[in-house]
Amino acid sequence: MILTLKLKTTAARSLLTLFVLLMPCAARSSAVVPLDSGTAAFLKAHCIRCHGPEKVKGDLRLDQLDTDFSKPSAFERWRDVMTRVQSGEMPPKKEPRPEPAQAQAFVRQLSARLEAAGAKHRAEGRVVLRRLNRVEYENTVRDLFAVNVSVKEMLPEDAIAQGFDNVGAALNISPVLMERYLEAADAVITAALAPVHKLESKTERFDLYDSLPKWFVAGVWKQDDGVILFRSSGDSPSDLRQFKAPAAGRYRFRIAASAHNSVTPLPMAVLLGNFVVSGNYSRHLGYFDALPGRPTVIEFEERLGAKNDTVKVTPVALPFVYLKHETMPAYPGPGLKIHWMEVEGPFPEAWPTESFRRVFGDARDGETPAPFDPKKGTLADAEKLVRALLPRAFRRPVVEGEEKPFVALVAKSLEMGQPFEAALRTGYKAVLASPKFLFLREPTGPLDDHALASRLSYFLWSTMPDEALTALAVKGELRKPGVLQAQVERMLKHPRAKAFTENFTGQWLSLRDISFTTPDKTLYPEFEELLQWSAVRETHLFFEELLKQNLSVKNFVDSDFAMLNGRLAKHYGIPDVHGVAFRKVALSPEHHRGGVLTHASVLKVTANGTTTSPVLRGVWVLDRIMGRPAPPPPPNVPAIEPDIRGAQTIREQLAKHRATENCAGCHARIDPPGFALENYDVIGGWRDRYRVVAERKNWVNNRVGPLANYLAAHQYGEGLPVDAGDALPDGRKFADVGEFKRLLLADPEQIARCLTEKLVTYATGQPAGFGDDAAVKRILAEAKKSDYGLRSLVHAVVASELFQSK
């Protein structure tokens, strides 16, 4: 496939010769084999009546289902049929049931056909050619050139398949994307060559009050030794406007803060950036505690990315109150007191920078390395530099002559009179837009050591292999079981493994969608930025705790502990936890928590911001936890309109769907897991009754206690009581989420299987399926030795043929 682009310069047009993607396009020949007589007879006797010409339940006609098992879609449909018969879910209990021996024979015969088709598929290679996604691209150029530059947003969003954005079949390429890659490569090289400042470092101390605009000063209380902020607001103008960075560089910040009128720590947010110009980029550095009593100095060193950048502090999670300046001295509520702020910098920076050296290497003055002078560069220098770059960029050794197309581009640019730096940039951009850089090329059969190193690195770090992995690949030692296991351990202990936690859970548990909805401020006035950040952080830390301690994946369904900070513990109604720092907290049944199903992060991403839906949450649980995804809804079925005034419960609204024949089968599977979570509202808080929009006389009274006269009134009322009970399709009943979780844990292997398939999909860029059952079972058998410990499961996935083969 040759991609034609409209490029801006003559030299750039030469890049067209490099955009040739060798996509496997040979068709897999197959002969359609009809079902054997026994399988066909079973379907006719027990299935066709509801899935045939007279009735089509679940939009499935078994008499017309493709029997070419070499097609992935047909394979998966037949595998689903086999699984549902094997589990006893089908035929339904109200229908005539086959004898156990008949069902076993049907499963055995169909399983043999599926296994034969799967074996043929595996022999041809299960993983298609896969492109780096946006995150992997940004991380890779960061490590390749030792430069922190944000280019992810310059690239179009990646398509998602099976819940993940690194599935090869969905990662297409287009002329527009190729142009964006050239722009991103240009930005990377520009950042790598950025000059350093030559300023002297100095230290300045500021009073935040002097930086506040006059219209904002009315909402703060000036003190002799600082200023007190009483209102939480992410967009408040509480940035240190007296300080503007004289240059990009590293600075040390010191903030003296304390908690006013509070016996517990108060959280504050710290941001870096330019807050005066609308739309400018800012970076959320984190949350810190202001302690009661004497001021505590919070100190950190960070890089400011541009001239005129500054620092901003703002209180978070304070009560929403109405205050006038004259009432502040008598106000008994908490406030964040900023005593002073200090900035030191910019600190001296060495030249040449490491990123400059990654582009130009080192010139030598005798035996002493010296900065390369681009003005003196020659074509021979360019060839040497390109040769040095290619093995790292392509993540494997290069063959003789592989550098020639890129060197030819440099030569062409030099002939046209371009300076050496511009000419070399053209060659480097071609490298970064080359299929050999953008794609993970894996030969059919067992992966060689370099392909294995890349697969492992992108699995656990979302970036290119480091020097240690590359060295083992060069020696041909990475595939040795003991060596590979040791590398997995090393990589999981490395700070870069944070990428595995964030990117895997972000997609498996939909945490990346945490900002897709904004909870209704009328119904959920307590929701704010710290709560949302804490909710996601809890899930990340919970995953890391299971991974670090090799705890059973059953904890994802239910656990006797949670990772909490003060804000989240307050939200969950768990006492005696204070501050922004997280810690492991033991849970009791009355807390109604344990496992990711009850994490506020998961509960928020499975709601719409105003109401909860058992359908949305049920579909999510079936797919992400139970590993039995529901089929898409039939066409022309209207969605349920939420009743925010509470006249009807969602159960009453869903009753009409469960009474419709075409909907009943799926809703019998979907609704129960969703109803089990119905005691949790859209921000993950526990509820016994629904919150509803109400008249003023029916508002819930929150104006009590010493802040009663200052608090903004809650403008919602209490609606109908929540009923979280239901029954699974096999008839097992539950009354609440605790009983539902116990029913799920009755089959721990299915929970582990679901997670295994998600890990395989994420690790290889190809969904588990199409004949991978036997390999998945071997992974599960190995993980079962540790009661399905998460760390053991990761090791078992890496050791599997699914991971180590194309």
Side-chain angles (χ1 to χ4, degrees):
M1 180 189 302
I2 300 178
L3 302 178
T4 304
L5 306 180
K6 295 180 180 178
L7 301 173
K8 297 178 181 178
T9 68
T10 302
R13 291 189 189 101
S14 300
L15 290 173
L16 291 173
T17 60
L18 301 175
F19 299 144
V20 180
L21 308 185
L22 302 178
M23 304 289 286
C25 56
R28 290 172 173 167
S29 59
S30 61
V32 179
V33 180
L35 299 174
D36 61 82
S37 58
T39 301
F42 182 92
L43 294 174
K44 183 177 181 180
H46 300 287
C47 307
I48 297 297
R49 191 176 73 82
C50 294
H51 301 284
E54 297 180 2
K55 190 181 296 184
V56 189
K57 285 190 174 182
D59 199 28
L60 174 64
R61 278 195 64 170
L62 291 172
D63 60 323
Q64 294 182 347
L65 191 57
D66 194 345
T67 59
D68 183 357
F69 284 32
S70 68
K71 297 177 181 178
S73 58
F75 184 98
E76 295 301 333
R77 293 302 296 269
W78 282 111
R79 187 173 76 153
D80 185 54
V81 169
M82 184 195 73
T83 300
R84 296 176 76 170
V85 172
Q86 188 177 32
S87 67
E89 182 182 340
M90 291 291 169
K93 294 187 181 301
K94 64 181 180 179
E95 299 291 338
R97 305 282 290 176
E99 294 294 329
Q102 291 178 303
Q104 291 168 8
F106 171 81
V107 168
R108 186 168 56 251
Q109 292 162 352
L110 195 52
S111 178
R113 283 284 304 273
L114 292 167
E115 177 55 33
K120 185 173 184 293
H121 176 73
R122 289 193 299 274
E124 296 172 344
R126 60 181 293 275
V127 179
V128 302
L129 191 65
R130 178 164 80 85
R131 171 174 63 78
L132 301 181
N133 63 24
R134 296 193 310 162
V135 172
E136 293 166 339
Y137 179 91
E138 182 173 281
N139 291 345
T140 301
V141 295
R142 175 201 66 200
D143 294 338
L144 187 61
F145 289 102
V147 60
N148 284 316
V149 56
S150 179
V151 294
K152 181 176 66 174
E153 300 305 323
M154 298 175 67
L155 304 175
E157 288 193 8
D158 297 304
I160 294 175
Q162 302 292 318
F164 293 93
D165 67 0
N166 65 346
V167 173
L171 291 172
N172 299 320
I173 201 158
S174 68
V176 170
L177 180 57
M178 291 307 301
E179 290 194 51
R180 297 287 180 83
Y181 277 134
L182 292 175
E183 294 170 4
D186 211 30
V188 170
I189 297 169
T190 297
L193 300 181
V196 300
H197 69 83
K198 298 180 181 180
L199 302 176
E200 291 187 4
S201 177
K202 63 179 181 178
T203 302
E204 296 180 273
R205 181 171 290 193
F206 304 94
D207 185 335
L208 178 60
Y209 184 85
D210 297 331
S211 289
L212 302 178
K214 292 182 178 179
W215 65 265
F216 185 70
V217 167
V220 304
W221 187 17
K222 179 69 176 76
Q223 305 280 286
D224 291 338
D225 58 344
V227 61
I228 302 174
L229 308 177
F230 289 109
R231 291 286 297 273
S232 302
S233 178
D235 58 357
S236 66
S238 52
D239 48 299
L240 187 60
R241 299 186 181 191
Q242 280 187 300
F243 168 76
K244 293 182 179 180
R250 296 197 67 81
Y251 294 80
R252 181 175 294 119
F253 300 89
R254 300 180 185 91
I255 303 170
S258 63
H260 173 76
N261 278 353
S262 177
V263 297
T264 59
L266 294 180
M268 68 177 186
V270 177
L271 301 91
L272 302 175
N274 189 322
F275 306 93
V276 176
V277 181
S278 177
N280 272 23
Y281 169 80
S282 64
R283 177 161 58 99
H284 195 290
L285 187 63
Y287 295 97
F288 300 85
D289 278 328
L291 303 179
R294 298 180 61 184
T296 300
V297 177
I298 299 162
E299 181 174 325
F300 53 90
E301 186 178 316
E302 287 291 330
R303 182 174 184 82
L304 293 180
K307 183 179 180 179
N308 293 326
D309 278 3
T310 188
V311 61
K312 175 179 179 177
V313 295
T314 182
V316 289
L318 292 180
F320 189 80
V321 295
Y322 294 112
L323 285 178
K324 295 181 180 180
H325 201 270
E326 59 270 19
T327 64
M328 289 180 186
Y331 174 60
L336 173 66
K337 185 171 184 178
I338 304 297
H339 296 259
W340 49 260
M341 300 175 69
E342 190 175 272
V343 185
E344 179 184 359
F347 296 133
E349 296 182 330
W351 182 261
T353 62
E354 177 61 24
S355 57
F356 183 93
R357 293 180 62 251
R358 295 283 180 96
V359 174
F360 286 123
D362 281 322
R364 302 193 72 85
D365 183 6
E367 294 299 317
T368 305
F372 183 90
D373 185 356
K375 295 179 181 179
K376 299 178 180 179
T378 65
L379 183 59
D381 292 326
E383 183 173 356
K384 178 182 176 182
L385 292 169
V386 170
R387 281 178 177 269
L389 175 66
L390 290 187
R392 294 184 290 116
F394 293 170
R395 304 172 290 274
R396 58 167 175 78
V398 296
V399 299
E400 184 65 31
E402 206 166 353
E403 79 287 350
K404 288 183 178 180
F406 308 103
V407 176
L409 286 172
V410 179
K412 182 69 174 178
S413 297
L414 290 173
E415 289 174 10
M416 295 171 61
Q418 291 193 16
F420 178 81
E421 179 182 321
L424 184 65
R425 180 185 292 255
T426 299
Y428 277 12
K429 286 169 64 177
V431 171
L432 297 183
S434 165
K436 297 174 182 179
F437 173 76
L438 295 175
F439 286 82
L440 298 173
R441 290 184 171 245
E442 300 163 341
T444 300
L447 301 180
D448 61 41
D449 280 61
H450 290 281
L452 183 59
S454 288
R455 182 173 282 188
L456 182 61
S457 190
Y458 283 100
F459 173 34
L460 298 180
W461 288 353
S462 296
T463 190
M464 61 187 286
D466 66 354
E467 291 183 3
L469 269 181
T470 301
L472 289 170
V474 169
K475 295 177 182 177
E477 296 179 355
L478 185 57
R479 294 188 64 88
K480 295 179 180 179
V483 173
L484 186 59
Q485 184 179 31
Q487 286 303 301
V488 173
E489 278 298 307
R490 177 183 73 89
M491 295 175 73
L492 288 176
K493 293 175 182 176
H494 196 281
R496 286 186 182 177
K498 177 183 178 183
F500 175 47
T501 296
E502 294 184 356
N503 293 329
F504 177 67
T505 62
Q507 297 176 85
W508 168 44
L509 300 175
S510 307
L511 301 187
R512 287 184 177 179
D513 299 343
I514 195 69
S515 298
F516 279 14
T517 61
T518 301
D520 187 309
K521 270 296 183 185
T522 298
L523 292 172
Y524 300 98
E526 72 268 40
F527 182 79
E528 37 73 33
E529 61 175 86
L530 178 59
L531 177 58
Q532 177 166 297
W533 175 84
S534 300
V536 175
R537 187 69 179 140
E538 174 195 18
T539 307
H540 287 163
L541 291 175
F542 185 79
F543 183 88
E544 289 179 352
E545 180 70 8
L546 267 60
L547 188 60
K548 180 180 179 181
Q549 304 298 336
N550 198 27
L551 300 179
S552 175
V553 301
K554 293 184 291 185
N555 283 280
F556 286 121
V557 174
D558 199 12
S559 64
D560 60 3
F561 73 94
M563 308 299 292
L564 303 177
N565 66 358
R567 180 64 187 93
L568 203 56
K570 178 182 177 182
H571 186 58
Y572 290 169
I574 298 175
D576 303 323
V577 180
H578 306 290
V580 297
F582 278 80
R583 69 224 69 173
K584 191 173 183 178
V585 177
L587 296 175
S588 300
E590 62 268 20
H591 296 147
H592 308 296
R593 301 290 164 175
V596 296
L597 291 176
T598 59
H599 282 192
S601 59
V602 167
L603 294 162
K604 182 179 184 297
V605 299
T606 55
N608 68 9
T610 303
T611 61
T612 58
S613 167
V615 176
L616 293 178
R617 283 179 171 172
V619 167
W620 189 94
V621 174
L622 285 172
D623 178 36
R624 310 305 172 93
I625 303 299
M626 298 173 68
R628 291 174 175 144
N636 303 320
V637 175
I640 295 175
E641 292 295 327
D643 179 9
I644 61 174
R645 294 195 173 273
Q648 276 188 316
T649 66
I650 188 67
R651 184 182 296 274
E652 292 169 330
Q653 293 175 283
L654 278 172
K656 59 183 180 181
H657 280 270
R658 301 181 80 164
T660 303
E661 189 173 25
N662 283 342
C663 300
C666 289
H667 276 276
R669 295 178 58 212
I670 294 170
D671 295 354
F675 278 124
L677 301 178
E678 196 63 1
N679 275 119
Y680 301 94
D681 62 30
V682 303
I683 60 174
W686 178 264
R687 65 186 176 190
D688 294 307
R689 289 180 173 271
Y690 293 98
R691 290 187 186 182
V692 296
V693 175
E695 296 179 4
R696 188 183 190 93
K697 63 181 180 181
N698 295 323
W699 287 355
V700 171
N701 182 24
N702 68 302
R703 304 184 73 178
V704 295
L707 304 185
N709 294 329
Y710 302 92
L711 289 171
H714 288 172
Q715 299 178 24
Y716 62 84
E718 284 194 335
L720 297 170
V722 174
D723 178 5
D726 210 328
L728 299 179
D730 60 10
R732 291 179 296 166
K733 296 181 178 180
F734 59 87
D736 53 33
V737 65
E739 292 183 7
F740 172 71
K741 290 192 288 188
R742 284 192 286 275
L743 294 181
L744 288 187
L745 290 176
D747 186 5
E749 182 173 312
Q750 182 57 34
I751 303 301
R753 181 187 182 92
C754 175
L755 182 55
T756 298
E757 292 180 347
K758 301 298 183 186
L759 284 169
V760 166
T761 301
Y762 179 78
T764 67
Q766 177 68 24
F770 204 78
D772 297 332
D773 282 359
V776 169
K777 287 179 180 177
R778 286 190 285 273
I779 294 172
L780 289 171
E782 183 63 30
K784 189 175 182 180
K785 297 175 184 177
S786 63
D787 193 26
Y788 303 112
L790 180 56
R791 202 176 192 89
S792 295
L793 186 56
V794 170
H795 276 288
V797 167
V798 172
S800 71
E801 62 265 41
L802 297 180
F803 188 87
Q804 297 192 26
S805 300
K806 177 173 170 59

